[in-house]
Amino acid sequence: MPRINKTAILALLIATSSVFLLFQLYYYRQYMSKHGTRSNGKAVQVGVNAQSQVVKTFLGLVTKYNLPVFLIDTTTLSHLLQESPQPRDPQDSLCRSFCTHRDVTTFALLAKLWKYDASLAQTAAERGLEFLEVRGKDPRLVGLDDLSGTEIPLHFLFRLNGNAVHLLVFYERSGNYLWHGALRLKPNMDRKFVSFRKLDFGRQAGAYDRPELVPASVDGLDVRIPKNISRFLNEHAQARFLECRYKDARAFYQLYPDDTSPEAMDFRLKAKSLLHLAARTLGELGVPFWLSSGTCLGWFRQCNVIPYSKDVDLGIWIKDYRPDIIPAFQKSGLPLKHKFGKVEDSLELSFQGLDVKVDIFFFYEEDDIVWNGGTQAKSGKKFKYVFPKFALCWTELVELKVRVPCETLDYVEANYGPNWNTPVKTWDWKTSPSNVKENGVWPVREWDEVIQVY
Ligand SMILES: *[C@@H]1O[C@H](CO)[C@@H](O)[C@H](O)[C@H]1NC(C)=O
């Protein structure tokens, strides 16, 4: 082995690090001069932009703590979408996406990839960041058996010069989706910390599919962002999540003990796998659906499938109808059992699963109501079920992230009347529903088309 002169190595090291320091200084100068002007030449002063400042300080903090945060801020993401592809140039530090003149910029964190470190608050303070942690009940522990609900961190807010970063904590839930809680301030909390009306996330609980993340350079800062920005923004627009009413469901079961017979358990298992299969089939087609009729009532009233309900009921907007729905279900092993009505009027599909069928009702929108139709095969009689208008929300049923009408009580009450909370075992779809109306008879010449039974 050749002898190496230690002094020479030391000299080399010093020389390299000086060169490195010089480089840093050079880039810092470049950065400062670039940062001072926008590409259109108008002067923007460094440090004056509070939004960009708080984001930088926040990112410095999360780097120190190895927090795998990602950007979910909708304004910034929309901005990136418009000017993508983002140049991955480290010198591209012009403040654009983080200088949108808003008070709050939102990031997210997956709870399972993060270990709570209590020194975060102090380090934040040392860096000049005011810090607020908002906790809430852990819904994964709230169930029919346990209503206690341990508190978990749901939101962190960091503030610098009146501008804030909102860090949202996503939790994985049993249906393999991401959930975040609503931001509810406790009485002792600083209500002026941030303008809560301006929050992008957290005014209500929300649910998302786990996004695929990619690294990006935003205003010269390294962040991770959802790979498919437009998908994430679409999800955000309809992410509101409703928790099941566990307390009321428990009260219901105290009055009407749950059926735990082998037949009931068997039906629930079959209904669960059918619901999962239908969700996958419609999901692949990109067709949104919600829990309707008895399946919706089961979720709302008792947070479960009603064991004597015989089938699974789904609703779909007629505007989302696609002719490939039928072949897609057939490919999933669910043959068509009947098709009633037509796309222009009262369409209804039924597919046969293992002992359990799935009924799909198509909903038609009118001025201030929505309705779906029914058809009696033997007489050709038509029925109409009228509901008040509703929006769609996410919830969880049988370990599936699934939609329900947000105004669920109105929906259930329209369908089942004011006594929806009392179980009724004998139910006639033509006469029992509160909202059923006779709607004439299909002309006989149309029967081949509008009454198809297999
Ligand atoms: C992004 O998601 C949308 C659905 O919101 C989809 O239509 C589109 O194909 C996706 N883009 C890519 C590149 O995967």
Side-chain angles (χ1 to χ4, degrees), residues 166-348:
H166 176 196
L167 178 60
L168 189 74
V169 188
F170 274 121
Y171 289 87
E172 239 165 83
R173 289 186 55 169
S174 59
N176 204 22
Y177 62 95
L178 302 183
W179 170 91
H180 72 77
L183 199 162
R184 298 272 174 268
L185 289 183
K186 306 272 154 79
N188 60 344
M189 282 180 177
D190 179 3
R191 294 188 170 268
K192 296 210 190 73
F193 198 91
V194 71
S195 167
F196 290 92
R197 275 181 303 112
K198 292 185 180 165
L199 290 182
D200 237 1
F201 292 80
R203 275 174 297 169
Q204 294 156 333
Y208 292 81
D209 289 333
R210 196 182 310 103
E212 191 184 335
L213 302 173
V214 289
S217 172
V218 181
D219 294 352
L221 298 169
D222 288 331
V223 293
R224 292 189 309 154
I225 59 171
K227 186 174 181 191
N228 189 332
I229 294 178
S230 50
R231 170 178 297 171
F232 185 81
L233 293 175
N234 282 343
E235 279 195 81
H236 174 260
Q238 39 192 333
R240 187 176 162 203
F241 182 91
L242 299 179
E243 209 61 68
C244 200
R245 304 153 60 251
Y246 290 109
K247 229 169 152 174
D248 299 283
R250 200 161 66 152
F252 174 85
Y253 282 126
Q254 267 161 11
L255 277 176
Y256 311 101
D258 198 15
D259 182 354
T260 53
S261 65
E263 296 76 31
M265 306 299 257
D266 182 56
F267 174 78
R268 276 186 171 148
L269 270 182
K270 285 173 175 158
K272 175 180 175 177
S273 64
L274 183 58
L275 195 54
H276 278 250
L277 185 56
R280 204 157 53 237
T281 307
L282 291 168
E284 277 164 15
L285 297 176
V287 173
F289 69 92
W290 63 92
L291 304 180
S292 193
S293 311
T295 312
C296 186
L297 176 65
W299 170 78
F300 188 68
R301 187 172 70 186
Q302 49 206 84
C303 302
N304 207 339
V305 171
I306 301 175
Y308 51 85
S309 56
K310 307 269 195 318
D311 47 29
V312 168
D313 301 313
L314 307 181
I316 295 180
W317 298 120
I318 194 67
K319 66 176 161 57
D320 292 324
Y321 172 78
R322 295 168 47 152
D324 50 358
I325 289 178
I326 296 176
F329 271 88
Q330 280 162 340
K331 233 177 105 193
S332 296
L334 302 169
L336 183 65
K337 186 154 185 292
H338 69 234
K339 176 180 181 220
F340 293 151
K342 50 188 179 179
V343 174
E344 307 80 66
D345 185 8
S346 303
L347 185 65
E348 178 190 339

Side-chain angles (χ1 to χ4, degrees), residues 3-290:
R3 268 187 63 127
I4 300 167
N5 185 334
K6 280 185 187 163
T7 329
I9 291 185
L10 202 63
L12 192 66
L13 272 177
I14 291 170
T16 346
S17 38
S18 326
V19 169
F20 182 65
L21 272 175
L22 279 173
F23 254 111
Q24 286 212 317
L25 199 63
Y26 170 76
Y27 274 114
Y28 181 64
R29 286 229 170 116
Q30 283 258 314
Y31 170 84
M32 293 303 275
S33 62
K34 268 189 119 180
H35 203 78
T37 44
R38 273 187 196 265
S39 41
N40 63 10
K42 274 191 200 139
V44 176
Q45 283 219 294
V46 181
V48 167
N49 192 301
Q51 188 187 2
S52 159
Q53 270 328 101
V54 70
V55 168
K56 274 181 207 161
T57 314
F58 165 77
L59 287 174
L61 184 71
V62 300
T63 305
K64 177 179 162 68
Y65 280 86
N66 263 323
L67 298 181
V69 303
F70 55 100
L71 181 71
I72 55 169
D73 190 79
T74 56
T75 309
T76 311
L77 288 177
S78 308
H79 203 264
L80 292 177
L81 197 60
Q82 281 153 23
E83 56 167 56
S84 66
Q86 267 283 306
R88 285 229 47 180
D89 175 3
Q91 289 184 54
D92 178 21
S93 53
L94 294 175
C95 186
R96 293 194 299 258
S97 300
F98 285 132
C99 294
T100 48
H101 306 288
R102 281 165 324 112
D103 299 342
V104 188
T105 309
T106 318
F107 286 82
L109 181 64
L110 294 187
K112 72 162 188 184
L113 299 179
W114 158 69
K115 211 166 155 293
Y116 194 87
D117 186 335
S119 70
L120 182 73
Q122 195 188 334
T123 313
E126 281 162 16
R127 297 182 179 207
L129 290 170
E130 294 168 82
F131 176 80
L132 182 69
E133 177 180 340
V134 183
R135 293 178 160 247
K137 286 212 171 76
D138 186 345
R140 296 165 305 168
L141 301 175
V142 181
L144 285 178
D145 308 323
D146 175 17
L147 297 170
S148 63
T150 312
E151 295 232 314
I152 47 173
L154 298 178
H155 302 267
F156 295 100
L157 290 152
F158 301 88
R159 192 169 70 167
L160 185 67
N161 301 329
N163 219 285
V165 163
H166 176 196
L167 178 60
L168 189 74
V169 188
F170 274 121
Y171 289 87
E172 239 165 83
R173 289 186 55 169
S174 59
N176 204 22
Y177 62 95
L178 302 183
W179 170 91
H180 72 77
L183 199 162
R184 298 272 174 268
L185 289 183
K186 306 272 154 79
N188 60 344
M189 282 180 177
D190 179 3
R191 294 188 170 268
K192 296 210 190 73
F193 198 91
V194 71
S195 167
F196 290 92
R197 275 181 303 112
K198 292 185 180 165
L199 290 182
D200 237 1
F201 292 80
R203 275 174 297 169
Q204 294 156 333
Y208 292 81
D209 289 333
R210 196 182 310 103
E212 191 184 335
L213 302 173
V214 289
S217 172
V218 181
D219 294 352
L221 298 169
D222 288 331
V223 293
R224 292 189 309 154
I225 59 171
K227 186 174 181 191
N228 189 332
I229 294 178
S230 50
R231 170 178 297 171
F232 185 81
L233 293 175
N234 282 343
E235 279 195 81
H236 174 260
Q238 39 192 333
R240 187 176 162 203
F241 182 91
L242 299 179
E243 209 61 68
C244 200
R245 304 153 60 251
Y246 290 109
K247 229 169 152 174
D248 299 283
R250 200 161 66 152
F252 174 85
Y253 282 126
Q254 267 161 11
L255 277 176
Y256 311 101
D258 198 15
D259 182 354
T260 53
S261 65
E263 296 76 31
M265 306 299 257
D266 182 56
F267 174 78
R268 276 186 171 148
L269 270 182
K270 285 173 175 158
K272 175 180 175 177
S273 64
L274 183 58
L275 195 54
H276 278 250
L277 185 56
R280 204 157 53 237
T281 307
L282 291 168
E284 277 164 15
L285 297 176
V287 173
F289 69 92
W290 63 92

